[in-house]
Amino acid sequence: MKIGAGILAALCLGMVPMEASAQSQWQPVEQVQAYPITGDSGVDLYASIGQRGPKIGKEVRAIAHTNFKLTWTRDYQPQPDGACTLVSARPKLVITYTLPKPASALAPDLKKKWDVFIAGVYKHELVHGVIITDMVKEIERMSVGLSVANDPQCTKIRAELTAKLGEISKAQQKRSGDYDRMEMSEGGNVHQLILQLVNGNGK
């Protein structure tokens, strides 16, 4: 989520390595990293986020940042008829949520406000984690069993797979962007969280 000219939130996502997946049981590894902020009020905490949050691009600071690393173990097998088939591929998905954390203890009233804020921000980022996981499952569904004729060296299939993965990646980015726009629009969940932290009330 980012801080722009208004009260906004957004997501920074990593790029998908162009590889395939397998129809097997797996779970993403999820981890949380924190960056320190300071302040004795909601306004001060939010200002500190604007100063210390992870960068998206060169200028925009993020409130929270969801990133991922995706790698695959793949098994391409030449077939007796000269085709090549991707018979199995297993994903390894690591999702990292970067969230702000006060560097020192907060006063009780402020802590209550902060706890509501950070719980809502984390919930928002978890949805992005679900979107990323869904993308990997779609890659898995599409790629395992993919076969290309007249490809005994298993080279043509890699190019075809790369093209298909690009389409899936674009669809994931659109879904994630649509979700962010809904959440950070005026009156949206993230917009409300920021107002409650800074002003003590939402719309």
Side-chain angles (χ1 to χ4, degrees), residues 1 32-38 45 48-50 52-54 62-65 97-103 114 117-118 121-122 125 197:
M1 290 179 294
V32 177
Q33 296 179 347
Y35 66 91
I37 60 170
T38 59
L45 290 173
S48 186
I49 288 171
R52 301 185 180 188
I63 296 173
H65 177 192
Y97 306 105
T98 301
L99 304 171
K101 182 178 180 180
W114 175 258
F117 173 79
I118 197 61
V121 168
Y122 187 30
E125 298 303 324
L197 176 66

Side-chain angles (χ1 to χ4, degrees), residues 15-27:
M15 297 303 294
V16 183
M18 296 303 182
E19 298 182 313
S21 150
Q23 289 179 331
S24 56
Q25 296 298 318
W26 58 272
Q27 294 292 330

Side-chain angles (χ1 to χ4, degrees), residues 35-73:
Y35 66 91
I37 60 170
T38 59
D40 296 325
S41 68
V43 172
D44 290 343
L45 290 173
Y46 188 65
S48 186
I49 288 171
Q51 295 169 354
R52 301 185 180 188
K55 283 188 176 181
I56 302 176
K58 295 182 178 180
E59 298 180 356
V60 179
R61 290 281 183 179
I63 296 173
H65 177 192
T66 297
N67 206 349
F68 66 94
K69 180 179 180 181
L70 175 61
T71 56
W72 301 88
T73 301

